[in-house]
Amino acid sequence: MPQEGTRLIGGLGEPPELSIQSYRLEMVRGPEPGQVFELKSETRIGKGADNDVVIVDATVSRYHFQLNQTAEGYLLRDVGSTNGTFLEGARVVEAYVKPGMEIRAGEVVLRLKPINAGVSISPSGETRFGALLGLAAPMRKIFALLERIAPTDATVLLIGETGTGKGAVARAVHDASNRRGKPFVTIDCGAISRSLIESELFGHERGSFTGATHLRRGALEMCSGGTIFIDELDDLPLDVQPKLLRALDEREICRVGSSKPLKLDLRVIAATKKDLRLEVAGGRFREDLFFRLSIVTIPLPPLRDRMEDLSLLAERFLDGAGAWDRLPRSFRERLCSYHFPGNVRELRNLLERASYLDGFDAIDPSSFPTEKGSGGGVDQEFKLTVDYTKPFKEAKDGLIERFEREYLKRLLTRNQNKIARAAREAQIDRKYIYMLLSKHGMTTED
């Protein structure tokens, strides 16, 4: 059984948390199927009592094989077993084991099982990490983890809503790493045509396809020695995912139209706005690529969950200490009561617009945006009014009905009609949201 605080990859009940990937050996076939063994930096497996993993089976040698943790993954070595060690059906003396692979020792089958172990970490004493700022405990916990992993080459997966600063975190990690003097290359999978994404990643040779008039170096090749930031990872086409996985595993690529391998030396940071566990479960993202990229998983909190950072961020965007206190009081109050569906990016844009175009003193608090400017079916200036000429109960019921309908409409718009997410934000049960929708004859499409 997994330890408390550990979530097996594939468990979809809880939202992502700060986690670091680790591995265990699970017995698929043998004396105790389902038994799970912890791995050390060096783990010896056999039926001898002095092994780290003891398997009492006649077909297993006293000292059968060992697993050594390396920077490239787990290295399997047969240590002179009688019946041999097999990896995915092929007998091996020495080989790297990838997540999910099966190892057979005699007649016993074991699988290398990746897990995401939740990190118990104290908030950093610092309120910044590079260019990142944060007073809120969730951000300072992230800073504490970044302080540890930035100097390493650990692959990082960032999860967060649009505008939470995934790109800024990736840049801060690169700047704090040993690769900071090398290139930092960003590739946005959501902004590139599906037909060109492979060429953008791996490059292409002249004449390799119609329109390839010259040799092009891809993003993976261009960031040699540095860091590649793969943004909007959830938009990466399924047919390109195994090619990226192979490139990351083998640390080499071939340009489109070429068979000549090119060695890679890089660090990978990826970002997604979706929970990739759900994408894997829905068949929209490869499980093995998810395992490969989620070595360190960092979910970034939305701005509404770190409102104590508002003044700190405002002073950064307004370029001045004390800038927050100099803002008109009505403007500050409106900021503090705003939901910020666009997160930190929206705050920056709002402050810049007010600073350069309108001027803070000229802003009417009643015209302050309350939802996304794109509308999405939500009225910007909706106001609740009471008909005081009606009997008390009738006037009250009418007011509550209009409030409930408008609240639901805005709540679901902010959360892209995701009932579970809306319930978490509103701090009510999902059943109550369904009951209100039914009561007012509404659907999520309304």
Side-chain angles (χ1 to χ4, degrees):
M1 293 294 290
Q3 298 175 353
E4 185 175 353
T6 297
R7 186 185 68 256
L8 296 180
I9 290 177
L12 306 179
E14 297 296 326
E17 60 181 341
L18 283 174
S19 61
I20 296 179
Q21 192 176 98
S22 60
Y23 296 89
R24 294 174 180 174
L25 272 181
E26 181 183 37
M27 186 177 291
V28 178
R29 188 176 74 224
E32 298 181 67
Q35 186 176 6
V36 175
F37 305 97
E38 301 290 339
L39 293 177
K40 304 177 181 179
S41 57
E42 179 179 293
T43 306
R44 297 177 303 161
I45 296 94
K47 67 181 175 185
D50 54 345
N51 284 287
D52 300 300
V53 175
V54 179
I55 301 175
V56 182
D57 185 273
T59 63
V60 175
S61 296
R62 179 175 178 81
Y63 302 108
H64 204 107
F65 71 93
Q66 68 183 42
L67 289 170
N68 292 82
Q69 189 174 17
T70 71
E72 289 76 30
Y74 278 97
L75 180 63
L76 180 152
R77 288 192 180 96
D78 183 278
V79 289
S81 66
T82 301
N83 293 322
T85 303
F86 296 78
L87 184 62
E88 294 291 289
R91 186 165 185 168
V92 297
V93 175
E94 184 175 289
Y96 282 103
V97 187
K98 296 179 182 178
M101 279 188 167
E102 292 188 348
I103 305 166
R104 180 164 65 83
E107 295 302 320
V108 174
V109 177
L110 303 161
R111 180 185 293 124
L112 186 66
K113 190 176 184 67
I115 61 169
N116 272 12
V119 178
S120 177
I121 192 167
S122 299
S124 171
E126 302 294 328
T127 58
R128 66 168 56 235
F129 179 83
L132 306 175
L133 298 174
L135 289 168
M139 288 303 297
R140 289 190 293 114
K141 284 185 177 182
I142 290 173
F143 293 169
L145 183 57
L146 294 180
E147 289 164 4
R148 297 185 189 182
I149 60 100
T152 73
D153 275 341
T155 301
V156 180
L157 177 63
L158 304 171
I159 304 175
E161 298 175 10
T162 299
T164 48
K166 298 186 288 292
V169 173
R171 184 78 212 203
V173 170
H174 172 75
D175 290 343
S177 74
N178 297 327
R179 298 177 178 269
R180 54 185 168 271
K182 299 294 184 177
F184 176 82
V185 178
T186 298
I187 183 163
D188 187 341
C189 299
I192 302 171
S193 165
R194 294 176 66 89
S195 61
L196 295 177
I197 186 70
E198 186 175 354
S199 173
E200 291 290 331
L201 275 170
F202 306 110
H204 62 253
E205 297 287 339
R206 179 181 177 182
S208 56
F209 55 86
T210 303
T213 57
H214 61 279
L215 181 149
R216 177 185 176 87
R217 297 169 64 212
L220 290 165
E221 183 182 350
M222 289 171 61
C223 73
S224 177
T227 302
I228 186 165
F229 174 48
I230 307 175
D231 200 7
E232 302 294 350
L233 180 67
D234 47 278
D235 286 324
L236 185 66
L238 265 173
D239 60 328
V240 180
Q241 291 177 23
K243 299 174 184 177
L244 176 61
L245 175 65
R246 192 177 309 113
L248 299 182
D249 276 343
E250 300 175 4
R251 283 298 195 261
E252 68 177 29
I253 59 169
C254 292
R255 297 191 192 113
V256 176
S258 171
S259 58
K260 180 182 178 180
L262 301 171
K263 291 295 182 181
L264 298 179
D265 173 23
L266 48 76
R267 182 188 196 159
V268 180
I269 302 177
T272 174
K273 59 185 176 295
K274 297 180 181 179
D275 185 342
L276 289 186
R277 301 169 306 164
L278 298 174
E279 297 302 294
V280 168
R284 296 178 294 275
F285 200 86
R286 287 182 63 104
E287 187 177 40
D288 46 7
L289 181 57
F290 172 62
F291 290 155
R292 186 65 185 79
L293 293 172
S294 59
I295 306 300
V296 178
T297 301
I298 301 178
L300 301 180
L303 183 54
R304 60 183 173 273
D305 291 344
R306 46 178 293 216
M307 292 297 280
E308 56 263 57
D309 293 341
L310 205 56
S311 59
L312 199 65
L313 293 168
E315 292 190 349
R316 159 64 64 81
F317 299 142
L318 295 173
D319 295 323
W324 173 259
D325 293 329
R326 292 193 295 272
L327 292 175
R329 181 177 177 180
S330 59
F331 187 80
R332 280 180 285 151
E333 290 176 348
R334 201 65 171 147
L335 281 174
C336 290
S337 63
Y338 185 41
H339 183 77
F340 287 103
N343 292 297
V344 178
R345 181 183 296 130
E346 185 179 15
L347 171 66
R348 182 190 62 199
N349 294 343
L350 179 63
L351 291 173
E352 288 180 355
R353 185 186 69 193
S355 177
Y356 296 129
L357 299 180
D358 305 315
F360 297 105
D361 293 324
I363 289 181
D364 176 7
S366 66
S367 65
F368 196 94
T370 55
E371 303 296 337
K372 283 186 178 179
S374 60
V378 178
D379 294 330
Q380 297 286 328
E381 295 292 331
F382 180 84
K383 294 181 180 179
L384 289 171
T385 57
V386 183
D387 186 347
Y388 294 100
T389 64
K390 291 184 177 180
F392 173 84
K393 187 176 186 309
E394 187 176 341
K396 176 185 173 184
D397 290 345
L399 181 66
I400 291 174
E401 180 178 352
R402 291 194 297 278
F403 161 75
E404 288 178 345
R405 288 181 62 87
E406 189 64 17
Y407 186 93
L408 279 175
K409 194 193 315 182
R410 292 172 183 262
L411 177 69
L412 292 170
T413 297
R414 285 195 301 269
N415 291 283
Q416 290 80 51
N417 292 338
K418 302 293 191 299
I419 298 293
R421 219 165 80 183
R424 282 197 299 271
E425 180 193 319
Q427 298 182 22
I428 57 177
D429 193 90
R430 285 181 296 175
K431 293 180 181 178
Y432 191 66
I433 291 183
Y434 284 117
M435 184 272 287
L436 289 174
L437 288 170
S438 176
K439 172 184 174 182
H440 297 295
M442 299 170 64
T443 69
T444 54
E445 307 306 317
D446 295 329

